Amino acid sequence: MTRRVLILAHTGREESMLAALEACVELHANNIVPVMYAEELVDMTGYLGVSSVKMEVLDQDVTLADIELVMVLGGDGTILRAAEIVRDYDVPLLGVNLGHVGFLAESEREELIQTVAAVVERKYSVEERMCLDVMVRVAGKVVAHTWALNEVAVEKGNRERMIEVVTEVDGRPLTSYGCDGVVMATPTGSTAYAFSAGGPVVWPGVEALLMVPISAHALFAKPLVVSPTSTLAVEVLTRNGAYGVIWCDGRRTVDLLPGARIEVSRSNKPVKLARTQQSTFSERLVRKFELPVQGWRGPSVEVTEPPTTQLPIIKTPRPKYPLEGRPHSDMPPLPDLRIPPQESSYSGTTAFYGEDPA
């Protein structure tokens, strides 16, 4: 059976087109048919010259159902674009980073040949990444229904005015505030916009949904991590007349009138990412963010598991006297602190400052 790999590249950049041509040459040399979109193939061959590599055109020669793998050459934006293309098909994405951080990419530009070799030898695994289902309602009617891999960002539409929102979790209101926006993200998107807004980094293996306020003017406006079965909602309030806008993965947008309601839950359609490396997510964090780890010695290796260490137990102090009943006989009697009636400080008169009571 003929193996086919779809090459997606940012053909507006020379580096991306050079990488795409190199990947096509390597795949062809190993009896794998490279496939490209017609527009991107024209851009690449028009800029770099006609190639002797035999390539097929998607939607003309083959369909996505014939593709084994999609190799994406670019940054996270290019990978998010590729996710839109393959989400309805059982085709995994393999990213080669040509951008800056490239958290969704599996390898870097200098590792392109090794990445192609792993594809040729089928030395890659596939993991599913949670997506978000996004519903926009106005006056109870659905006006937009879309999805997101990274995040849904509800943002203010007026630069000079905050957007007033009320947040909700599982059908119950949580709090309202003025803000620049609210990000609702997946664990995959926790290192993207939600991270910039001050949200936590969530390991991809953790199933959860995030809600992160953006510059909220409120005492309680903290990032939330909730169950993957929860439903998050944000309602745009009408009290200041400001309108908003939502961005799904920074690519799909919907305008929000005051009174609009955005409901976000887990989608039943994940996106599949291919992995050629067995590194942990911790290693990826260190590599992508260039985190300092000098001085780390690592866990010690024990031949046998040591027994549980017997540590001293601190006992809860007992009260000096019983909490119920009368004190011990050796306790001195308590003085009577009641004021005798005849010595009361209240004179029983309404006269003040030496006035005659008569």
mmCIF file of all heavy atoms in Angstrom, residues 244-270:
data_model
loop_
_atom_site.group_PDB
_atom_site.id
_atom_site.type_symbol
_atom_site.label_atom_id
_atom_site.label_comp_id
_atom_site.label_asym_id
_atom_site.label_seq_id
_atom_site.Cartn_x
_atom_site.Cartn_y
_atom_site.Cartn_z
ATOM 1 N N GLY A 244 -18.042 42.884 22.989
ATOM 2 C CA GLY A 244 -16.823 42.092 23.023
ATOM 3 C C GLY A 244 -16.616 41.314 21.744
ATOM 4 O O GLY A 244 -17.336 41.488 20.753
ATOM 5 N N VAL A 245 -15.628 40.436 21.784
ATOM 6 C CA VAL A 245 -15.299 39.583 20.649
ATOM 7 C C VAL A 245 -14.643 38.317 21.197
ATOM 8 O O VAL A 245 -13.957 38.377 22.222
ATOM 9 C CB VAL A 245 -14.362 40.313 19.664
ATOM 10 C CG1 VAL A 245 -13.052 40.703 20.336
ATOM 11 C CG2 VAL A 245 -14.094 39.473 18.419
ATOM 12 N N ILE A 246 -14.890 37.180 20.565
ATOM 13 C CA ILE A 246 -14.188 35.974 20.967
ATOM 14 C C ILE A 246 -13.247 35.548 19.846
ATOM 15 O O ILE A 246 -13.528 35.745 18.663
ATOM 16 C CB ILE A 246 -15.139 34.810 21.332
ATOM 17 C CG1 ILE A 246 -15.889 34.292 20.098
ATOM 18 C CG2 ILE A 246 -16.094 35.204 22.423
ATOM 19 C CD1 ILE A 246 -16.627 32.996 20.356
ATOM 20 N N TRP A 247 -12.116 34.970 20.267
ATOM 21 C CA TRP A 247 -11.131 34.414 19.339
ATOM 22 C C TRP A 247 -10.895 32.967 19.731
ATOM 23 O O TRP A 247 -10.603 32.671 20.882
ATOM 24 C CB TRP A 247 -9.814 35.186 19.404
ATOM 25 C CG TRP A 247 -9.875 36.536 18.788
ATOM 26 C CD1 TRP A 247 -10.141 37.730 19.400
ATOM 27 C CD2 TRP A 247 -9.659 36.842 17.405
ATOM 28 N NE1 TRP A 247 -10.109 38.746 18.500
ATOM 29 C CE2 TRP A 247 -9.813 38.235 17.258
ATOM 30 C CE3 TRP A 247 -9.351 36.073 16.276
ATOM 31 C CZ2 TRP A 247 -9.669 38.873 16.031
ATOM 32 C CZ3 TRP A 247 -9.208 36.709 15.057
ATOM 33 C CH2 TRP A 247 -9.365 38.093 14.945
ATOM 34 N N CYS A 248 -11.048 32.076 18.780
ATOM 35 C CA CYS A 248 -10.779 30.658 18.994
ATOM 36 C C CYS A 248 -9.446 30.314 18.348
ATOM 37 O O CYS A 248 -9.329 30.360 17.109
ATOM 38 C CB CYS A 248 -11.900 29.806 18.402
ATOM 39 S SG CYS A 248 -13.501 30.101 19.157
ATOM 40 N N ASP A 249 -8.447 30.023 19.184
ATOM 41 C CA ASP A 249 -7.091 29.730 18.716
ATOM 42 C C ASP A 249 -6.499 30.880 17.912
ATOM 43 O O ASP A 249 -5.591 30.681 17.098
ATOM 44 C CB ASP A 249 -7.061 28.445 17.875
ATOM 45 C CG ASP A 249 -7.319 27.208 18.710
ATOM 46 O OD1 ASP A 249 -7.097 27.269 19.932
ATOM 47 O OD2 ASP A 249 -7.738 26.178 18.145
ATOM 48 N N GLY A 250 -7.020 32.086 18.112
ATOM 49 C CA GLY A 250 -6.510 33.242 17.379
ATOM 50 C C GLY A 250 -6.829 33.223 15.902
ATOM 51 O O GLY A 250 -6.268 34.018 15.140
ATOM 52 N N ARG A 251 -7.765 32.358 15.468
ATOM 53 C CA ARG A 251 -8.037 32.195 14.041
ATOM 54 C C ARG A 251 -9.508 32.426 13.688
ATOM 55 O O ARG A 251 -9.806 33.010 12.667
ATOM 56 C CB ARG A 251 -7.625 30.787 13.583
ATOM 57 C CG ARG A 251 -6.131 30.515 13.679
ATOM 58 C CD ARG A 251 -5.800 29.152 13.112
ATOM 59 N NE ARG A 251 -6.286 28.971 11.753
ATOM 60 C CZ ARG A 251 -5.657 29.409 10.647
ATOM 61 N NH1 ARG A 251 -4.511 30.064 10.766
ATOM 62 N NH2 ARG A 251 -6.164 29.181 9.457
ATOM 63 N N ARG A 252 -10.424 31.961 14.521
ATOM 64 C CA ARG A 252 -11.845 32.102 14.232
ATOM 65 C C ARG A 252 -12.434 33.084 15.229
ATOM 66 O O ARG A 252 -12.212 32.967 16.431
ATOM 67 C CB ARG A 252 -12.543 30.735 14.328
ATOM 68 C CG ARG A 252 -12.020 29.738 13.309
ATOM 69 C CD ARG A 252 -12.581 28.343 13.535
ATOM 70 N NE ARG A 252 -12.247 27.780 14.826
ATOM 71 C CZ ARG A 252 -11.050 27.260 15.108
ATOM 72 N NH1 ARG A 252 -10.088 27.254 14.204
ATOM 73 N NH2 ARG A 252 -10.805 26.760 16.300
ATOM 74 N N THR A 253 -13.227 34.030 14.747
ATOM 75 C CA THR A 253 -13.703 35.120 15.594
ATOM 76 C C THR A 253 -15.198 35.338 15.436
ATOM 77 O O THR A 253 -15.768 35.087 14.372
ATOM 78 C CB THR A 253 -12.945 36.420 15.268
ATOM 79 O OG1 THR A 253 -13.390 37.465 16.131
ATOM 80 C CG2 THR A 253 -13.174 36.841 13.823
ATOM 81 N N VAL A 254 -15.827 35.784 16.531
ATOM 82 C CA VAL A 254 -17.250 36.107 16.562
ATOM 83 C C VAL A 254 -17.412 37.382 17.385
ATOM 84 O O VAL A 254 -16.865 37.486 18.488
ATOM 85 C CB VAL A 254 -18.086 34.972 17.191
ATOM 86 C CG1 VAL A 254 -19.565 35.363 17.239
ATOM 87 C CG2 VAL A 254 -17.898 33.667 16.425
ATOM 88 N N ASP A 255 -18.166 38.351 16.863
ATOM 89 C CA ASP A 255 -18.463 39.571 17.616
ATOM 90 C C ASP A 255 -19.524 39.283 18.668
ATOM 91 O O ASP A 255 -20.457 38.500 18.441
ATOM 92 C CB ASP A 255 -18.951 40.681 16.686
ATOM 93 C CG ASP A 255 -17.841 41.203 15.791
ATOM 94 O OD1 ASP A 255 -16.669 41.153 16.215
ATOM 95 O OD2 ASP A 255 -18.142 41.653 14.664
ATOM 96 N N LEU A 256 -19.403 39.945 19.822
ATOM 97 C CA LEU A 256 -20.307 39.715 20.944
ATOM 98 C C LEU A 256 -21.009 41.012 21.310
ATOM 99 O O LEU A 256 -20.360 41.987 21.699
ATOM 100 C CB LEU A 256 -19.544 39.189 22.164
ATOM 101 C CG LEU A 256 -18.763 37.884 21.991
ATOM 102 C CD1 LEU A 256 -17.928 37.615 23.232
ATOM 103 C CD2 LEU A 256 -19.707 36.729 21.704
ATOM 104 N N LEU A 257 -22.326 41.016 21.201
ATOM 105 C CA LEU A 257 -23.111 42.153 21.649
ATOM 106 C C LEU A 257 -23.328 42.064 23.156
ATOM 107 O O LEU A 257 -23.256 40.978 23.734
ATOM 108 C CB LEU A 257 -24.453 42.183 20.936
ATOM 109 C CG LEU A 257 -24.415 42.399 19.414
ATOM 110 C CD1 LEU A 257 -25.821 42.283 18.842
ATOM 111 C CD2 LEU A 257 -23.810 43.739 19.076
ATOM 112 N N PRO A 258 -23.593 43.194 23.831
ATOM 113 C CA PRO A 258 -23.941 43.112 25.249
ATOM 114 C C PRO A 258 -25.127 42.171 25.451
ATOM 115 O O PRO A 258 -26.118 42.216 24.728
ATOM 116 C CB PRO A 258 -24.305 44.564 25.596
ATOM 117 C CG PRO A 258 -23.531 45.383 24.616
ATOM 118 C CD PRO A 258 -23.524 44.583 23.350
ATOM 119 N N GLY A 259 -25.006 41.283 26.428
ATOM 120 C CA GLY A 259 -26.024 40.280 26.668
ATOM 121 C C GLY A 259 -25.697 38.923 26.077
ATOM 122 O O GLY A 259 -26.410 37.942 26.336
ATOM 123 N N ALA A 260 -24.623 38.828 25.304
ATOM 124 C CA ALA A 260 -24.232 37.548 24.705
ATOM 125 C C ALA A 260 -23.710 36.607 25.785
ATOM 126 O O ALA A 260 -23.158 37.032 26.804
ATOM 127 C CB ALA A 260 -23.181 37.767 23.628
ATOM 128 N N ARG A 261 -23.859 35.321 25.523
ATOM 129 C CA ARG A 261 -23.437 34.280 26.459
ATOM 130 C C ARG A 261 -22.563 33.284 25.721
ATOM 131 O O ARG A 261 -22.939 32.794 24.641
ATOM 132 C CB ARG A 261 -24.657 33.580 27.054
ATOM 133 C CG ARG A 261 -24.338 32.387 27.949
ATOM 134 C CD ARG A 261 -25.623 31.740 28.446
ATOM 135 N NE ARG A 261 -25.361 30.484 29.149
ATOM 136 C CZ ARG A 261 -25.098 30.391 30.446
ATOM 137 N NH1 ARG A 261 -25.071 31.485 31.192
ATOM 138 N NH2 ARG A 261 -24.875 29.218 31.012
ATOM 139 N N ILE A 262 -21.393 32.960 26.290
ATOM 140 C CA ILE A 262 -20.444 32.027 25.685
ATOM 141 C C ILE A 262 -20.349 30.806 26.598
ATOM 142 O O ILE A 262 -19.969 30.928 27.775
ATOM 143 C CB ILE A 262 -19.057 32.666 25.497
ATOM 144 C CG1 ILE A 262 -19.167 33.949 24.694
ATOM 145 C CG2 ILE A 262 -18.096 31.692 24.824
ATOM 146 C CD1 ILE A 262 -19.334 35.197 25.535
ATOM 147 N N GLU A 263 -20.678 29.642 26.066
ATOM 148 C CA GLU A 263 -20.619 28.386 26.821
ATOM 149 C C GLU A 263 -19.498 27.515 26.263
ATOM 150 O O GLU A 263 -19.415 27.304 25.050
ATOM 151 C CB GLU A 263 -21.960 27.645 26.732
ATOM 152 C CG GLU A 263 -23.109 28.413 27.342
ATOM 153 C CD GLU A 263 -24.451 27.730 27.129
ATOM 154 O OE1 GLU A 263 -24.496 26.736 26.350
ATOM 155 O OE2 GLU A 263 -25.432 28.192 27.730
ATOM 156 N N VAL A 264 -18.659 27.000 27.156
ATOM 157 C CA VAL A 264 -17.489 26.215 26.742
ATOM 158 C C VAL A 264 -17.480 24.899 27.513
ATOM 159 O O VAL A 264 -17.594 24.889 28.749
ATOM 160 C CB VAL A 264 -16.183 26.992 27.009
ATOM 161 C CG1 VAL A 264 -14.971 26.130 26.698
ATOM 162 C CG2 VAL A 264 -16.149 28.271 26.180
ATOM 163 N N SER A 265 -17.342 23.804 26.793
ATOM 164 C CA SER A 265 -17.252 22.486 27.398
ATOM 165 C C SER A 265 -16.269 21.638 26.605
ATOM 166 O O SER A 265 -15.763 22.068 25.555
ATOM 167 C CB SER A 265 -18.629 21.805 27.441
ATOM 168 O OG SER A 265 -19.152 21.686 26.125
ATOM 169 N N ARG A 266 -16.016 20.447 27.091
ATOM 170 C CA ARG A 266 -15.093 19.555 26.401
ATOM 171 C C ARG A 266 -15.730 19.032 25.119
ATOM 172 O O ARG A 266 -16.876 18.585 25.112
ATOM 173 C CB ARG A 266 -14.726 18.387 27.313
ATOM 174 C CG ARG A 266 -13.775 17.386 26.681
ATOM 175 C CD ARG A 266 -13.425 16.280 27.650
ATOM 176 N NE ARG A 266 -12.396 15.405 27.119
ATOM 177 C CZ ARG A 266 -11.777 14.475 27.832
ATOM 178 N NH1 ARG A 266 -12.093 14.308 29.103
ATOM 179 N NH2 ARG A 266 -10.839 13.724 27.286
ATOM 180 N N SER A 267 -14.962 19.064 24.038
ATOM 181 C CA SER A 267 -15.452 18.546 22.765
ATOM 182 C C SER A 267 -15.265 17.037 22.707
ATOM 183 O O SER A 267 -14.347 16.483 23.318
ATOM 184 C CB SER A 267 -14.710 19.209 21.606
ATOM 185 O OG SER A 267 -15.057 18.608 20.370
ATOM 186 N N ASN A 268 -16.140 16.369 21.968
ATOM 187 C CA ASN A 268 -15.995 14.921 21.804
ATOM 188 C C ASN A 268 -15.070 14.562 20.645
ATOM 189 O O ASN A 268 -14.894 13.387 20.333
ATOM 190 C CB ASN A 268 -17.366 14.274 21.598
ATOM 191 C CG ASN A 268 -18.115 14.853 20.400
ATOM 192 O OD1 ASN A 268 -17.569 15.662 19.650
ATOM 193 N ND2 ASN A 268 -19.353 14.448 20.225
ATOM 194 N N LYS A 269 -14.469 15.580 19.999
ATOM 195 C CA LYS A 269 -13.526 15.352 18.912
ATOM 196 C C LYS A 269 -12.150 15.892 19.302
ATOM 197 O O LYS A 269 -11.941 17.098 19.327
ATOM 198 C CB LYS A 269 -13.988 16.035 17.623
ATOM 199 C CG LYS A 269 -15.188 15.404 16.967
ATOM 200 C CD LYS A 269 -15.483 16.110 15.651
ATOM 201 C CE LYS A 269 -16.684 15.494 14.963
ATOM 202 N NZ LYS A 269 -16.978 16.193 13.671
ATOM 203 N N PRO A 270 -11.190 15.037 19.623
ATOM 204 C CA PRO A 270 -9.847 15.522 19.943
ATOM 205 C C PRO A 270 -9.023 15.739 18.682
ATOM 206 O O PRO A 270 -9.438 15.404 17.577
ATOM 207 C CB PRO A 270 -9.271 14.379 20.786
ATOM 208 C CG PRO A 270 -9.935 13.155 20.204
ATOM 209 C CD PRO A 270 -11.319 13.582 19.792
#
